[in-house]
Amino acid sequence: MDIKDHIRTIPDFPKPGIQFYDISTLLAHPDAWRVAMGRLAKIVGRHQPDILAGIESRGFLVAAPLALQLGCGFVMVRKKGKLPGPTVPHEYALEYGTDTIEIQEDAVKPGEQVVILDDLLATGGTMNASIALFRKLGAEVVGAACIIELSFLNGRARLDVPFHALVAYDS
Ligand code: AMP
């Protein structure tokens, strides 16, 4: 099965000039979604993670079912102010300005092995920041994975952990 057949592209969203890769059509197709999650489970399982982390919000859709399947804990990486209780923040640069992501202070224990998941890797800025966040708590980030990689943006060059994607677009 070609997973790309189930990914829809929407031009000029959320702003003019951006081609949005929409996984709604993949999620809505149970066979294609099962195949996609099966392929990712094989790749991610090789890292023998304790914890799978999902980046808000579509990363949750990827990481939560995989965590159940692989018998791992699931942790949410969220935008600032969304998680209750004590949190650890990490600020990172955007094209214009900065953004902050957080995890709960007790989300991982030092030495635990984490794989971080999202739907798509573009510039790699969000994934890179998420890796830094888990390291602040002493966790070992053993890998990162997405369904889609925009390879022409070379985001994987910003990551110092093994990175995997099910499909890549080179333009
Ligand atoms: P980046 O930090 O540049 O790697 O951006 C990755 C994050 O932004 C992921 O959480 C994606 O869901 C989202 N994103 C960036 N570009 C796109 C795109 N063209 N289509 C869909 N989602 C995108």
Side-chain angles (χ1 to χ4, degrees), residues 18-21 55-56 58 118-127 150:
I18 303 286
Q19 167 107 300
F20 190 86
Y21 291 85
I55 300 175
E56 183 173 356
R58 290 183 296 277
D118 204 351
D119 64 329
L120 180 146
L121 188 85
T123 65
T126 315
M127 186 61 83
L150 303 187

Side-chain angles (χ1 to χ4, degrees), residues 90-119:
H90 183 78
E91 190 180 83
Y92 63 105
L94 298 174
E95 197 177 351
Y96 303 106
T98 62
D99 216 341
T100 301
I101 51 173
E102 294 181 333
I103 52 178
Q104 286 173 315
E105 207 175 70
D106 59 358
V108 281
K109 297 183 193 68
E112 278 189 316
Q113 306 215 124
V114 181
V115 171
I116 308 177
L117 293 136
D118 204 351
D119 64 329

Side-chain angles (χ1 to χ4, degrees), residues 44-53 70-75 107-117 134-135 137-144:
V44 169
R46 285 188 204 121
H47 292 294
Q48 299 186 294
D50 303 303
I51 302 285
L52 298 190
L70 294 173
C72 301
F74 166 68
V75 166
V108 281
K109 297 183 193 68
E112 278 189 316
Q113 306 215 124
V114 181
V115 171
I116 308 177
L117 293 136
F134 281 97
R135 285 178 179 159
L137 283 177
E140 190 190 345
V141 180
V142 291

